[in-house]
Amino acid sequence: MFNFPSDSTSSEDEKKEPNYYKNKNLIKSHKVPVKRESDAKEQQLDLKFKKDKFSQDPAVVATNELAQTIVIKAITDTYNALVTERELGVDPLPYQTCGEVWMTVGEFSQKKAREHLEDFVISWQLPSEWLYCIRFLEMKKNSCDDVYTYQLIWSIPTQEQPIPIATASVYFSFEVSFIKPRYYPVNMFFFFECSRLVHWPGKTIIKEHMLRSIIQSKLTISNMITF
C-alpha cells in the first residue's frame, strides 16, 4: 500500500512558499510588453523613407549646395590671405598704442606686458598728482588661449595723507592665443572697478573724472559708516 501525502503537508508547503508564488495572477497581469522585431524594422524603413524624401527636395538640395559653396570659399580666402601675409611679413592687425605696434603672440612675456601697460598709461595724460602701481593677479588657462590679468591701482597721495583712504582700480587682461599665428598681436582689453563695460585701447578716451568718480563714491560710503 502506498501512503499518499495528506492535505496537511501541502498546506504546510504553501505556508513556506514566498509571497510571489501566491500572487501569480498579479504577476501575469503586469507583463512587460515585448517589442517585435518587425515593428522596429518598419519604423527604420519609415524614417529612411522620410529622410530620403526630404533630401530630394529641390529647395533643400539648393540650400545645401549654396552653404557648401560659401563655406569652401571662406576657408579658401582665409587660407590664401594668411599665406600671403606670412610671405610678405605683414602684420595683419597692427595694434597701435602710444605710437608703437602692440606686441605679438610670440613676443609676449610678463615683463613686456608691464612695459606696454606703463606706455599705455602715459597716453592717458593724467595730472602728475595721480600715482599708480601695477599688480599681477592671475594667469588663467583656457582651451584656446592664456589670459593674464593685471591690476592698476590709482590714488592721489599727499604729504598730509601719504596713504590714501580710497583708491581706483583698472583691470587689464592680455589674451595670448594658441590658435593664431605667432606674428598676430596680443588681444588686450580693460575695465574699471565697479563697472562691467569693457574698453579697448584706441577706442576709449580715458578722462580723469572716470577715476575720480570711483574714489568719490568710496569716500561717500565710508563717511556714512560709523564705528
Side-chain angles (χ1 to χ4, degrees):
M1 297 293 291
F2 293 97
N3 295 324
F4 294 97
S6 61
D7 295 338
S8 61
T9 56
S10 61
S11 61
E12 291 178 358
D13 294 337
E14 289 179 358
K15 291 180 180 179
K16 295 179 181 178
E17 289 180 352
N19 292 332
Y20 57 80
Y21 284 113
K22 293 182 179 181
N23 298 329
K24 290 181 179 179
N25 295 330
L26 183 61
I27 294 174
K28 290 179 181 179
S29 63
H30 289 77
K31 289 185 178 180
V32 179
V34 180
K35 191 174 183 179
R36 294 183 302 172
E37 186 177 356
S38 59
D39 295 341
K41 289 183 178 179
E42 288 178 2
Q43 291 182 0
Q44 291 178 0
L45 292 173
D46 188 26
L47 291 174
K48 185 178 180 182
F49 174 75
K50 291 180 179 178
K51 184 178 180 181
D52 294 340
K53 186 178 179 181
F54 179 76
S55 62
Q56 293 174 2
D57 188 353
V60 175
V61 174
T63 303
N64 290 337
E65 291 178 355
L66 179 61
Q68 186 176 4
T69 303
I70 293 173
V71 171
I72 292 175
K73 185 177 184 304
I75 295 174
T76 304
D77 293 345
T78 304
Y79 176 78
N80 292 335
L82 290 174
V83 171
T84 304
E85 289 166 358
R86 179 168 293 183
E87 291 176 352
L88 297 176
V90 177
D91 201 358
L93 294 173
Y95 208 146
Q96 299 291 337
T97 171
C98 307
E100 298 180 1
V101 177
W102 198 254
M103 58 184 163
T104 62
V105 174
E107 297 172 346
F108 180 83
S109 66
Q110 293 192 28
K111 181 180 178 181
K112 284 194 173 184
R114 284 179 174 271
E115 293 175 355
H116 278 266
L117 281 178
E118 292 173 355
D119 294 339
F120 180 63
V121 166
I122 293 174
S123 66
W124 292 8
Q125 297 180 356
L126 297 176
S128 58
E129 59 183 0
W130 284 95
L131 300 179
Y132 70 91
C133 64
I134 301 176
R135 290 178 55 193
F136 174 70
L137 296 183
E138 63 175 356
M139 190 274 284
K140 183 179 179 182
K141 283 187 172 292
N142 297 325
S143 57
C144 299
D145 54 25
D146 288 340
V147 180
Y148 296 80
T149 304
Y150 292 82
Q151 180 186 15
L152 267 70
I153 305 175
W154 290 88
S155 62
I156 305 178
T158 59
Q159 291 183 353
E160 296 78 10
Q161 199 166 25
I163 301 177
I165 300 175
T167 61
S169 295
V170 186
Y171 298 91
F172 291 82
S173 294
F174 295 86
E175 293 179 344
V176 185
S177 176
F178 299 150
I179 301 174
K180 295 178 181 179
R182 294 178 61 82
Y183 56 86
Y184 264 61
V186 174
N187 187 26
M188 191 270 278
F189 58 91
F190 61 96
F191 59 92
F192 288 86
E193 182 181 0
C194 305
S195 175
R196 296 184 179 181
L197 180 62
V198 177
H199 303 272
W200 305 88
K203 295 185 178 181
T204 303
I205 300 176
I206 307 301
K207 298 294 184 179
E208 183 184 4
H209 71 83
M210 296 180 177
L211 299 175
R212 283 194 177 274
S213 61
I214 297 174
I215 293 178
Q216 188 61 40
S217 61
K218 290 183 177 180
L219 292 175
T220 302
I221 295 175
S222 63
N223 293 332
M224 296 170 60
I225 300 174
T226 57
F227 296 96

